[in-house]
Amino acid sequence: MSQRIGEQRSPGFWPLATVFALFVLFLYGPMITIFVLSFQGPEGGLTFPLRGVSLHWFYKLAEGLGTVDIGAAFRRSLALGAVVMAFTVVLSVLAGLAFRKKLAGGNALFFVTVASLIMPSIIVSLGIGLQFRLIDTRHQERADGDGRDHAARRLRHRAGPVQLGTRRAPDLDAALRPAHHVRGVQPLQPGLRGSRARPRRHAVADLPLRGAAADRPVDRGHRHVRLHAVAGTRSPAPRRPSATSTRCRSSCRA
Amino acid sequence: MMRIDRSLLEAASDAGASGWQTLWNVVVPLSRTGILIGSIFVITIVMGDFVTIGVMGGQQIASIGKIIQVQTSYLQFPLAAANAMILLAVVLMIIWGLTRLVDIRKEL
């Protein structure tokens, strides 16, 4: 601009150029630092200048870290990025087409989109995990009565100690029904379950946590109801770790 | 800024404006939309960020994102969700105020 209107650079050029150079340095400095850091020698840490320039750490990366497979991790990230890119492109083009004219609810849509950027990703990912867990639980509950729901049954059998899938109430009816001949056990009416196993109206969602509940594998296949052969007592329902008790435990501790 | 007509700058210079006057009276008002959209991006990202602040502040600085992360790590999920809602409300109000300053649709 200044070179077209005037013949030489205006006096404000050099200070502004210096400011710009400093800004670029600030912007790319961290990246350059990390780049230099990757070429450290074997005993180099976070020190500058380099203690021995070598490709040592790249070799270490290539031979693998033992338990972690870098190639598979990269492929997974790449696949995830591609899928997210596809979804984003489709939705953005549709939104762009929609916003050409005055759109009813366009303001609300804009703020909802911005809102998903504002929330820190840990809390958004928590919401996503919780949402799909609730949907899954509701789907499982609806599939309870229908014995022909093969997908739900397969999911139940495959659910391991990470507490995926449903929180099945223990089938105490079937366990207790033939036991009426054992001395001391009060006969239960069919359909009356154990004290803690009533069908949940609100879904208690298990979250994938590295915490107390996730470490203890839930005993899925065999629920033994121990029948006390003592006069008058009825066996208590087996205590299982539930999300509520985990929460109380952690908050009581903290 | 690339879409600003060059002839406007020439006209400003012809009218006797110095470089700074041209900048303040012609360029900045014409690029208000871009400034606003950039500000929206920066505010949304920085308000929720805690990683950079933590690394640069030695994990001693409590930004709102850091509070949410700490509460999540202590499994206090409803508390973290409430904090996130307050953060959301404040930032949405800021953005709403910014969009009031510039009518995006008209400028674009």
Side-chain angles (χ1 to χ4, degrees):
Chain A
M1 164 177 129
S2 53
Q3 286 204 296
R4 194 168 330 155
I5 300 183
E7 286 310 322
Q8 61 234 7
R9 296 205 167 115
S10 59
F13 177 76
W14 289 110
L16 287 176
T18 315
V19 169
F20 183 66
L22 285 175
F23 175 71
V24 169
L25 199 66
F26 173 75
L27 207 59
Y28 287 107
M31 210 176 309
I32 296 176
T33 311
I34 298 292
F35 181 72
V36 165
L37 187 65
S38 67
F39 287 111
Q40 294 264 1
E43 63 285 339
L46 278 175
T47 59
F48 287 103
L50 301 176
R51 280 158 147 246
V53 185
S54 74
L55 293 171
H56 169 79
W57 296 107
F58 288 102
Y59 290 141
K60 272 211 119 62
L61 206 62
E63 70 195 33
L65 294 172
T67 49
V68 179
D69 183 12
I70 302 281
F74 257 115
R75 258 176 280 129
R76 219 170 288 139
S77 288
L78 204 63
L80 184 67
V83 168
V84 171
M85 180 184 76
F87 271 116
T88 307
V89 163
V90 167
L91 289 174
S92 306
V93 167
L94 290 177
L97 288 173
F99 270 98
R100 280 180 295 179
K101 295 213 184 74
K102 198 161 177 53
L103 180 68
N107 245 357
L109 185 63
F110 168 69
F111 280 115
V112 163
T113 310
V114 167
S116 68
L117 287 174
I118 295 172
M119 307 255 276
S121 43
I122 32 167
I123 205 89
V124 166
S125 52
L126 193 74
I128 293 176
L130 192 62
Q131 173 189 340
F132 281 104
R133 197 58 50 85
L134 291 174
I135 294 176
D136 187 50
T137 308
R138 202 130 300 196
H139 170 76
Q140 293 291 329
E141 275 176 6
R142 240 182 287 120
D144 264 352
D146 180 22
R148 285 180 293 281
D149 194 338
H150 298 296
R153 183 174 299 143
R154 256 184 278 124
L155 198 68
R156 274 199 293 274
H157 284 318
R158 243 189 298 147
V162 195
Q163 300 202 4
L164 271 176
T166 181
R167 166 120 294 195
R168 291 273 351 253
D171 197 3
L172 292 180
D173 299 2
L176 287 175
R177 206 171 291 126
H180 58 271
H181 59 278
V182 177
R183 186 163 48 105
V185 176
Q186 298 167 9
L188 294 178
Q189 296 113 359
L192 179 68
R193 298 208 191 150
S195 57
R196 289 184 63 90
R198 60 189 79 82
R200 294 197 140 83
R201 281 294 144 245
H202 58 278
V204 172
D206 300 315
L207 307 161
L209 305 170
R210 270 179 283 113
D215 289 342
R216 221 173 301 128
V218 174
D219 196 6
R220 284 212 173 274
H222 359 272
R223 237 172 241 297
H224 302 296
V225 179
R226 256 162 298 185
L227 303 172
H228 292 271
V230 179
T233 59
R234 198 179 58 169
S235 67
R239 286 201 55 82
R240 353 168 264 271
S242 69
T244 37
S245 65
T246 304
R247 222 177 293 141
C248 173
R249 221 176 290 137
S250 59
S251 66
C252 292
R253 217 190 299 135
Chain B
M1 282 189 180
M2 272 169 45
R3 287 175 48 206
I4 297 178
D5 202 356
R6 292 287 186 269
S7 54
L8 290 172
L9 305 174
E10 285 191 30
S13 152
D14 287 344
S18 69
W20 287 108
Q21 281 175 326
T22 311
L23 183 73
W24 187 245
N25 291 310
V26 178
V27 176
V28 167
L30 284 174
S31 43
R32 248 189 333 183
T33 318
I35 293 176
L36 170 79
I37 295 180
S39 308
I40 289 182
F41 272 114
V42 168
I43 281 196
T44 56
I45 293 178
V46 170
M47 287 287 273
D49 185 27
F50 58 92
V51 179
T52 308
I53 300 176
V55 169
M56 295 187 65
Q59 307 291 338
Q60 299 298 322
I61 301 193
S63 59
I64 184 76
K66 184 66 181 170
I67 292 182
I68 293 175
Q69 190 242 337
V70 161
Q71 285 167 347
T72 311
S73 67
Y74 281 143
L75 308 182
Q76 310 263 343
F77 295 118
L79 206 51
N83 258 323
M85 278 296 120
I86 292 189
L87 167 70
L88 189 68
V90 168
V91 177
L92 279 183
M93 279 200 304
I94 295 176
I95 291 177
W96 182 81
L98 281 176
T99 52
R100 286 298 121 214
L101 292 176
V102 175
D103 188 2
I104 296 184
R105 191 171 288 277
K106 205 188 310 175
E107 301 278 342
L108 288 177

